[in-house]
Amino acid sequence: MNFISALILVSALSATISMAVASSTADPKSCSTSAATGGAGAHVPIGKDGEGLYTASTKGCFDVIATATPLVLDEIKKQPLRPFGVGSPAYHIADYGTADAGTSLGLLSKMVEAVRERAGDDKEVVVHYEDQLTNEWQSVFNHALGIKSVSDAYGNPIPNPYALENVFVEACGVGFHKQCYPSNSIDMGVSFTAMHWLSRFPSSMKGSEYMHAARCPELPIPEKEQAAADWTSILKARAKELVPGGRFVCVNFSKNSDGYFLGQTDVGASMWDSFQSSWDQLKEQGLIEEEERLGVSFPNYYRTKEEFLAGIEGDEEISSTLKVVSIEERVVRCPYRELYTSGKSGKSPREYAEWMVPTTKTWSHSTFKSGLKSERSEEEKEEIMNQFWENYMSLVEKKPEDHGMDYVHAYIVFEKIE
C-alpha cells in the first residue's frame, strides 16, 4: 500500500494580468515612443489542458534547470533548516511560474533528497506550484502527481518528487508579481524562465518591426519602467515569503554583456529575424494587412545584469531583507540544434523543423495571434497562425543547422537576511 500523501490546494485569488486592450501610437522608426498601458498579448498556454504540451515541446528548459541544479543544492546544504517534529514545520519549496510543472520535476526530486540528507528521511516536504490563474492546472497535477511521465530532450526519464513519499503538492494561481504565500513560510523558492513576463503591457513595439524590446536600437522606456517596477514587486513579495535564512534562486531570461538574448547569440540565425520574415510573408501571401504585420509587441522584457542588481540595491526595504549571494550570466545551447548538428537526432531537415519550431511556439503563439485584428473570427486567426508556423518551418527546413533557440539567462541566488 502506498502512503504517499498529497494536499492539492488551488488558490485562485486573483489574476495579475490585465487584459485591457489599448491602441498604440508607436513611431514605426523607433521603439522609444510611449504607448498606452495595457494591451492584448498575455501569455496563453497552447494545447489542451492536461496534455502537458509545454514540457513535451520545451526540452531546452531541462538543460537550463540542470545548469542551475548545483546552485540550488549547494544553497540547501548551507541554509539553516527549521527543526522538524511535533508542531514544527515541513520544508516548503515554491516553484514560481511553473507552467505545466514538468520541466522542474527532476530538480525538485533532488531538492527533496538533499533536504532529507540533512534532516532525516521522515522530513515532510511541501511543493508549492505557482503560476497565473489561466495556467494549465490539470497538466500541473498530471505531472506533479506522476499521472503523466516526463522525459528530457535526450529521452532520459525524469524522476518525480511525489514518488519519494511524504511530499505534499499545492498550487497557487495568484501570480508571482504579488505575494503568493504567508510571510516567513517558504524555505526555498525557485523560478525558471518566467519572471520576464510583465504584469502590464505598454505594447510599445506596435507599429514597428522590432516585436521585442531586446531588439530595439533604443530601449523602449515604457517596457523598461514596467520591468523595473515588476522586479521591485517580485523581490518585495519573495522577501516577505521567505523564512529568515531562506533562499530564492531565480533563473531568468536576460540580455547579457555580449548583447545576446533568447534565440539571438553567436550561433546560427536569429530566431527573431526568422520570426519577422515568416510573419512578413503572411502579408506577401495576402493573409494579413500592414497594421497586423506591425501589430506584434511581446509583453516581456529581458533585463540586464545591472537591471537585476538595481532592483535590490536601489530599494531600502529590499536591500535590508534580501542579499545577493551570487549572479552570473550563462548561455545554454539549443538541444534540438545540438542533437541535429551532431547527427544524433536521425531526422531529415523537414523532420527537424517540425521538431524544433514548437519549442518557439509554446510561449509566443498567443502574442503573435494578438497582433491580428479583433474582428477576425477565431477560426480565421488560427488558420493564419497555422500558415505562420508553416512559413517558419519551411525556412528552417532550407538550412536546419542555422536554426535553434539558445537560452540566455541570469542565474541569481538571493538569501533572506536573518
Side-chain angles (χ1 to χ4, degrees):
M1 182 176 180
N2 192 336
F3 291 98
I4 299 174
S5 300
L7 174 61
I8 303 174
L9 174 61
V10 180
S11 171
L13 300 179
S14 66
T16 61
I17 296 179
S18 169
M19 297 300 291
V21 177
S23 61
S24 171
T25 57
D27 180 346
K29 297 180 181 180
S30 171
C31 285
S32 61
T33 303
S34 177
T37 300
H43 171 58
V44 179
I46 65 170
K48 184 179 178 182
D49 190 7
E51 293 179 345
L53 184 59
Y54 178 84
T55 288
S57 303
T58 316
K59 298 302 186 182
C61 282
F62 288 97
D63 290 350
V64 170
I65 294 173
T67 302
T69 296
L71 285 175
V72 175
L73 299 183
D74 188 52
E75 293 306 315
I76 290 177
K77 292 177 182 177
K78 295 188 297 185
Q79 73 176 133
L81 293 183
R82 295 178 287 171
F84 177 62
V86 177
S88 61
Y91 187 88
H92 289 257
I93 301 169
D95 182 359
Y96 299 97
T98 189
D100 64 12
T103 57
S104 62
L105 290 174
L107 169 63
L108 292 170
S109 296
K110 292 179 180 179
M111 291 173 71
V112 172
E113 292 169 343
V115 169
R116 289 176 175 170
E117 283 180 9
R118 292 188 59 192
D121 293 340
D122 59 347
K123 178 74 167 179
E124 294 181 343
V125 177
V126 183
V127 178
H128 303 267
Y129 289 104
E130 184 282 326
D131 211 294
Q132 61 181 332
L133 179 65
T134 54
N135 189 45
E136 293 182 72
W137 291 113
Q138 187 173 339
S139 294
V140 168
F141 292 119
N142 281 346
H143 286 143
L145 302 179
I147 298 169
K148 191 172 186 64
S149 59
V150 171
S151 61
D152 64 15
Y154 315 99
N156 302 311
I158 302 299
N160 192 303
Y162 187 63
L164 298 175
E165 299 193 359
N166 292 320
V167 173
F168 300 82
V169 175
E170 299 184 356
C172 173
V174 171
F176 53 67
H177 295 100
K178 297 182 178 180
Q179 184 173 349
C180 302
Y181 305 107
S183 298
N184 301 307
S185 66
I186 301 298
D187 293 281
M188 172 69 75
V190 294
S191 181
F192 304 99
T193 64
M195 292 180 173
H196 58 297
W197 291 101
L198 302 177
S199 64
R200 296 172 66 83
F201 316 131
S203 301
S204 296
M205 274 64 69
K206 284 183 179 292
S208 80
E209 295 188 354
Y210 294 110
M211 290 189 175
H212 196 284
R215 288 171 61 80
C216 294
E218 297 180 16
L219 279 176
I221 299 303
E223 273 79 6
K224 180 180 175 67
E225 291 180 345
Q226 186 62 56
D230 283 350
W231 186 234
T232 296
S233 298
I234 288 167
L235 293 180
K236 285 183 176 180
R238 304 298 84 81
K240 291 178 180 178
E241 294 164 346
L242 288 175
V243 301
R247 304 300 205 265
F248 172 46
V249 178
C250 181
V251 178
N252 210 55
F253 284 133
S254 68
K255 189 170 185 177
N256 74 7
S257 55
D258 292 317
Y260 302 157
F261 51 92
L262 177 69
Q264 189 161 314
T265 65
D266 57 336
V267 176
S270 163
M271 175 190 70
W272 295 94
D273 288 346
S274 300
F275 275 166
Q276 188 68 63
S277 63
S278 300
W279 189 254
D280 289 350
Q281 192 177 349
L282 292 175
K283 188 187 177 190
E284 298 168 7
Q285 294 165 328
L287 296 176
I288 63 173
E289 300 175 9
E290 180 68 3
E291 179 184 351
E292 295 171 301
R293 187 181 77 83
L294 301 178
V296 179
S297 184
F298 275 80
N300 55 50
Y301 185 90
Y302 304 151
R303 301 173 182 89
T304 63
K305 180 178 179 179
E306 291 73 25
E307 287 172 318
F308 282 117
L309 291 174
I312 191 167
E313 294 169 352
D315 189 287
E316 185 176 350
E317 178 184 340
I318 298 173
S319 61
S320 64
T321 52
L322 283 182
K323 70 176 182 179
V324 177
V325 176
S326 64
I327 179 170
E328 56 185 307
E329 300 171 337
R330 296 188 184 182
V331 176
V332 172
R333 298 302 181 187
C334 175
Y336 297 94
R337 183 172 54 208
E338 294 292 294
L339 287 169
Y340 182 80
T341 57
S342 69
K344 295 178 181 179
S345 72
K347 296 184 181 297
S348 68
R350 178 64 190 189
E351 289 172 335
Y352 173 73
E354 294 176 353
W355 185 45
M356 188 282 293
V357 168
T359 201
T360 72
K361 180 179 179 180
T362 56
W363 54 271
S364 67
H365 183 88
S366 59
T367 300
F368 280 112
K369 186 176 175 181
S370 72
L372 301 175
K373 287 189 172 182
S374 59
E375 53 263 36
R376 292 187 185 274
S377 68
E378 186 67 17
E379 182 180 3
E380 184 182 12
K381 288 180 180 179
E382 283 300 329
E383 288 177 356
I384 292 172
M385 291 305 302
N386 287 339
Q387 185 59 52
F388 167 63
W389 294 114
E390 175 56 38
N391 292 346
Y392 189 13
M393 287 189 290
S394 296
L395 180 64
V396 172
E397 183 181 2
K398 293 176 182 176
K399 201 171 183 183
E401 64 274 11
D402 276 3
H403 296 275
M405 189 178 78
D406 286 346
Y407 291 80
V408 182
H409 287 88
Y411 288 66
I412 319 169
V413 179
F414 296 97
E415 177 183 348
K416 185 167 181 178
I417 299 170
E418 295 186 69

